[in-house]
Amino acid sequence: MRDWKPSRLSPQDSLLTAMEVLNRTAYGIALVVGDRDRLLGTVVDGDIRRAVLKGMSLQSPVESAMKVSPVTAEADQMPEAYLNLMLSHKIQQLPLIGKTGEVVALVLLKDLQSELASGLKAVIMAGGLGTRLRPLTDAVPKPMLPMGDRPMMEHVLDRLRESGIHEVVVSTHYKGEMIQDHFGDGASMGMTIRYVNEKQQHGTIGGLRLVREQFTEPFLVINGDVLTTLDFSAMRLFHHQHQAEMTVAVRKHDVHVPYGVVQVEGASIVGLDEKPTMSLFINAGIYLINPDVIDSIPEGRPFDATDLIVTLIRNQRRVEAFPVLEYWKDIGHHPDYEQANADLQAGRMGRASQ
């Protein structure tokens, strides 16, 4: 049993505060309580991300996103009863309630099971030409551009390892030998790294056909030019809970329109928004994919991640959106590269979005 009090929230605490509590405790859950520590609801990472998808901000009160009828148990049962209850409801955490309705403890599934499911594996797509970053990429592939005193892809690998991912396949093409020579088999980083070489470009995700036989469980795919502190374990849980076949990490992006936007029905103007801000979700270049999804990637021609998403949707396959609330930067252009280096130097890469 765990001390539940570090996970305590009040109904008026913000979603951002809830994120901070989840990160600090690593319990995977925060408990929203009222008078005399009576449980009002619970919040997990997926609840916050679903709230953001609905248009809420991280300053919204936690009571607007909490689960008001969570699964709980009495505090005087045997551990086997807790384990069976958690497995039957497919939950990772279980609040324990005392005789007068107050929270007294918290049970985590990982504490009850001696061995959890096999670890998440990842593929890094590192075969791009880096055309938009020339002349920097004339001599080296984009993943090997320096970020601080290390190559960009080393930061990506560090984040994967910190998230418990130790087996990685790197898909290379342009100057791929430089990547393989630098990282080798990954032993120096405490990882196992294998390589596949795209002899011709297969698009942003077509190279997965080369690794089809290496995966039997859902696996992570991340572009080699994406820097993020995204919680990959939370993304994996989200993928499982939503029974997704492909989960796409998405990033909220505000577009400021510098003109008055006219709303027209037929020939009539029915409204006018003066210089509005439109909030959109963009593809963040990070995916969780079931192995059989690779069978939807055609052979013999380039195929991008956007092509795969559209194909799955047309075939009525389950594709879910997972909002990135943590640090995220796609290194696509020179200003992105310069900003990422500045963020690294200033220590901003570990902060959640505000």
Side-chain angles (χ1 to χ4, degrees):
M1 296 184 187
R2 299 288 186 108
D3 178 9
W4 73 274
K5 291 182 180 178
S7 69
R8 183 205 308 257
L9 288 172
S10 70
Q12 291 74 40
D13 283 330
S14 69
L15 295 180
L16 181 61
T17 299
M19 282 187 64
E20 292 169 349
V21 168
L22 291 173
N23 290 334
R24 184 171 63 248
T25 64
Y27 290 172
I29 194 171
L31 307 185
V32 185
V33 297
D35 293 340
R36 299 182 180 179
D37 289 337
R38 291 180 178 272
L39 185 65
L40 302 178
T42 60
V43 179
V44 298
D45 184 276
D47 296 325
I48 298 174
R49 296 182 197 268
R50 281 186 285 272
V52 171
L53 285 175
K54 293 177 181 177
M56 296 183 194
S57 77
L58 291 180
Q59 302 306 323
S60 301
V62 72
E63 64 182 347
S64 63
M66 70 183 185
K67 184 178 295 182
V68 296
S69 299
V71 177
T72 62
E74 296 179 357
D76 57 356
Q77 300 183 48
M78 297 296 291
E80 291 79 5
Y82 298 144
L83 178 59
N84 290 334
L85 183 62
M86 297 172 80
L87 291 176
S88 64
H89 286 275
K90 297 181 180 179
I91 57 176
Q92 306 287 316
Q93 308 88 6
L94 182 67
L96 301 186
I97 308 300
K99 297 294 185 183
T100 58
E102 78 282 7
V103 181
V104 296
L106 181 65
V107 174
L108 304 184
L109 181 63
K110 64 183 179 181
D111 292 340
L112 296 177
Q113 290 183 312
S114 60
E115 187 174 334
L116 296 175
S118 59
L120 186 63
K121 300 177 183 178
V123 176
I124 298 177
M125 308 304 292
L129 299 176
T131 305
R132 293 172 297 178
L133 282 173
R134 288 178 176 166
L136 297 178
T137 52
D138 286 341
V140 297
K142 189 197 296 189
M144 295 303 295
L145 288 176
M147 291 285 301
D149 58 354
R150 297 185 294 161
M152 183 191 308
M153 201 176 92
E154 192 164 327
H155 294 279
V156 178
L157 287 165
D158 275 347
R159 181 58 188 161
L160 294 176
R161 187 185 64 243
E162 290 166 1
S163 300
I165 299 173
H166 294 91
E167 293 188 42
V168 177
V169 178
V170 181
S171 179
T172 65
H173 175 64
Y174 175 66
K175 297 185 182 295
E177 68 282 354
M178 296 183 67
I179 297 174
Q180 188 164 351
D181 289 346
H182 181 85
F183 294 105
D185 63 3
S188 63
M189 299 188 67
M191 306 178 78
T192 299
I193 301 177
R194 298 186 296 274
Y195 302 86
V196 293
N197 180 255
E198 300 181 29
K199 295 182 179 178
Q200 59 185 24
Q201 281 200 299
H202 293 274
T204 60
I205 212 163
L208 290 185
R209 289 203 66 92
L210 303 176
V211 302
R212 174 65 178 92
E213 303 305 319
Q214 300 191 36
F215 297 98
T216 58
E217 298 288 337
F219 63 97
L220 184 78
V221 179
I222 182 169
N223 291 344
D225 57 357
V226 169
L227 299 173
T228 185
T229 57
L230 176 64
D231 186 343
F232 299 122
S233 61
M235 188 175 181
R236 182 187 188 186
L237 181 60
F238 185 95
H239 181 85
H240 173 73
Q241 289 176 332
H242 288 75
Q243 298 182 322
E245 296 181 81
M246 180 176 187
T247 296
V248 180
V250 297
R251 179 73 167 186
K252 192 174 182 181
H253 179 70
D254 291 334
V255 178
H256 304 286
V257 181
Y259 309 103
V261 175
V262 179
Q263 300 171 17
V264 178
E265 290 183 6
S268 300
I269 295 178
V270 297
L272 176 67
D273 292 330
E274 182 61 28
K275 299 181 180 179
T277 297
M278 301 173 62
S279 291
L280 308 173
F281 284 103
I282 61 172
N283 183 356
I286 307 168
Y287 317 95
L288 251 172
I289 297 177
N290 290 356
D292 62 358
V293 164
I294 298 176
D295 298 334
S296 297
I297 299 175
E299 295 187 57
R301 65 180 178 88
F303 201 71
D304 291 336
T306 49
D307 298 323
L308 179 59
I309 293 168
V310 170
T311 298
L312 293 176
I313 292 172
R314 285 176 178 170
N315 292 329
Q316 299 184 326
R317 307 281 292 273
R318 189 148 192 162
V319 181
E320 299 289 322
F322 182 79
V324 179
L325 307 179
E326 300 87 346
Y327 179 88
W328 176 87
K329 178 68 70 174
D330 174 86
I331 314 300
H333 299 84
H334 286 272
D336 302 319
Y337 178 58
E338 293 163 4
Q339 183 63 55
N341 269 293
D343 290 345
L344 177 64
Q345 188 171 359
R348 289 191 288 265
M349 285 190 175
R351 300 178 187 174
S353 304
Q354 307 254 345

